[in-house]
Amino acid sequence: PLAAIDGRLAGRPGNGESLMPQPQKLPQGNHAPVRALAVVVLYRRPLAESRTLAGLAQAFAEDASLGKQLDVLVWDNGPATREARSLPFAFAYQHAAQNEGVSGAYNAAAIIAEQRGCAWLLLLDDDTSVTAGFLRGILGHAAQVADDEGIAAVAPFLFAGRFCMSPRLWRFARHVPLPRPTQPYTETRAIFAANSGTLMRVRALEA
């Protein structure tokens, strides 16, 4: 399941509302596909050993349409640039002159996404398992909410067994796990979400 994060309301203080997700009806009908830039942040890991890049390669091989929606930027925070760089799909490679962590990679990638006309930025570390089904789901949900500029991000639910790792509500100075939803919904409360796997609206990052 996926949660769309409404940036207009996320900063409102809690008022004792239920922890159960409050689904908002999503627009129905056909929606134009969205374009996104996936930024894969490497650190001291060869491209051939990245689980994320291997997953993207498999996903593109299974569903060629994903390659038309998703550009790939490999951002290398390692100490030295890699001379041998080849993957079975088109991608751009950038070695960071100075390692500014994932925030530096995301900020630079947001600029590149805007230059390429990509309205969304998919954040990925180098060891996330990515599948064609996941990419179709998150891009499809972004297409449903694309016209609502108040939606700042689309975040997947991450579970370890029955335990919700992300996203989590911010309550009483601690993170509170959300119940497992039965369908994608729009979350309007203040939450924490894991970076890798989250799809950010580029314009929201500029605000």
Side-chain angles (χ1 to χ4, degrees):
L2 303 170
I5 302 170
D6 193 327
R8 295 168 300 192
L9 304 176
R12 291 186 177 179
N15 56 3
E17 68 270 33
S18 169
L19 293 184
M20 287 300 294
Q22 304 300 314
Q24 293 187 6
K25 188 175 181 180
L26 296 175
Q28 301 299 310
N30 296 325
H31 304 278
V34 299
R35 289 194 63 232
L37 175 68
V39 54
V40 181
V41 184
L42 295 180
Y43 183 70
R44 295 181 181 273
R45 189 188 298 272
L47 274 67
E49 296 179 10
S50 168
R51 181 185 302 173
T52 307
L53 294 174
L56 288 173
Q58 181 64 33
F60 292 154
E62 293 177 9
D63 188 343
S65 68
L66 291 172
K68 299 177 182 178
Q69 288 186 259
L70 198 63
D71 292 357
V72 178
L73 169 66
V74 176
W75 188 274
D76 194 344
N77 275 335
T81 186
R82 302 187 182 278
E83 296 300 331
R85 304 188 295 268
S86 62
L87 291 170
F89 57 85
F91 71 102
Y93 174 89
Q94 179 66 49
H95 178 258
Q98 180 179 353
N99 184 359
E100 297 179 348
V102 294
S103 61
Y106 297 161
N107 289 334
I111 295 173
I112 295 172
E114 187 172 35
Q115 293 171 343
R116 293 187 174 207
C118 296
W120 298 86
L121 181 66
L122 178 59
L123 313 180
L124 294 168
D125 58 26
D126 59 16
D127 63 351
T128 297
S129 296
V130 179
T131 66
F134 166 75
L135 294 176
R136 282 192 296 266
I138 203 164
L139 292 171
H141 193 49
Q144 288 181 295
V145 300
D147 292 336
D148 187 347
E149 291 285 341
I151 302 298
V154 180
F157 272 77
L158 306 177
F159 289 90
R162 292 182 175 273
F163 183 75
C164 178
M165 303 288 289
S166 173
R168 296 165 70 87
L169 287 171
W170 180 249
R171 287 291 182 272
F172 311 112
R174 66 189 181 95
H175 295 140
V176 180
L178 282 164
R180 185 188 295 265
T182 58
Q183 62 184 2
Y185 76 99
T186 299
E187 178 61 71
T188 61
R189 298 166 293 182
I191 68 171
F192 157 87
N195 291 342
S196 193
T198 293
L199 188 65
M200 293 291 305
R201 188 187 294 270
V202 173
R203 290 186 63 176
L205 296 172
E206 299 170 351

